[in-house]
Each structure stands twice: as structure tokens, then as C-alpha cells.
Amino acid sequence: KGDGQKEAVARFLSTTVALNRTLAAPPGTPPERVATLRKAIEETIRDPEFLAEAEKTGSEILPMTGEETSAAVRQVLAMPKDVIERVKSVLGVK
């Protein structure tokens, strides 16, 4: 169990880091609005001017599709309580 929990903690931490700068819409957002937002964000993160400006400012762009973001959020929310408690212990959170 110890090794499995270590893997789960690492997966939780890496997923939450990936989600650190994620844009998300609240539950119940109409699907057509979600599609519009996803398209706009995906176009932005491919835009050469946007990427050039990000590079000038030292901003790291780590693009995730809407589907990848949704899957990552579901993964974090599904983490067992013991894994969350272990993460809190590792991070020194009470």
C-alpha cells in the first residue's frame, strides 16, 4: 500500500500543478458556451503573437485541451481521502 500511495500522491501533485493556471467554467455551464470558451482558449494558445509575448515575459505556456483539463479535474476530485491527507502531510498543511 505504501508504494501505491506514494504513486497516488505524486499523481495528485503533478495533476494539481498542471491545473494551477487552468481556466474552468462552473458546473451547469451550457455545452455551447463551454465549446465556445474551449475554442477561444485553444486558438489563443496557438496564436503566434500570444506565444511571442509569453516568451518575452518569460511565461511558460503548458497547453491542455478542454478534454484533458476535464479529465485532470475529475482525477483530482476522485482522489481517496487517505491520499489527500498524505498530500497535506507532505506539504505541511494542517
Side-chain angles (χ1 to χ4, degrees):
K1 179 176 176 164
D3 287 339
Q5 191 176 53
K6 286 179 186 177
E7 181 180 313
V9 167
R11 189 171 45 253
F12 179 90
L13 291 172
S14 66
T15 302
T16 56
V17 167
L19 293 172
N20 190 34
R21 292 180 278 168
T22 298
L23 300 173
T29 301
E32 63 277 359
R33 189 167 302 152
V34 171
T36 300
L37 291 168
R38 284 181 175 177
K39 183 176 185 243
I41 291 167
E42 288 175 15
E43 288 175 0
T44 298
I45 61 175
R46 289 189 191 100
D47 180 75
E49 288 181 43
F50 172 78
L51 294 172
E53 188 63 31
E55 188 173 334
K56 278 197 282 186
T57 63
S59 298
E60 185 176 27
I61 305 300
L62 302 171
M64 291 174 68
T65 66
E67 291 78 17
E68 290 169 328
T69 302
S70 293
V73 168
R74 283 191 301 276
Q75 183 180 21
V76 167
L77 294 176
M79 283 289 165
K81 189 168 182 78
D82 65 318
V83 173
I84 303 293
E85 292 304 317
R86 180 69 178 140
V87 169
K88 289 165 107 178
S89 173
V90 167
L91 296 177
V93 176
K94 294 183 180 189

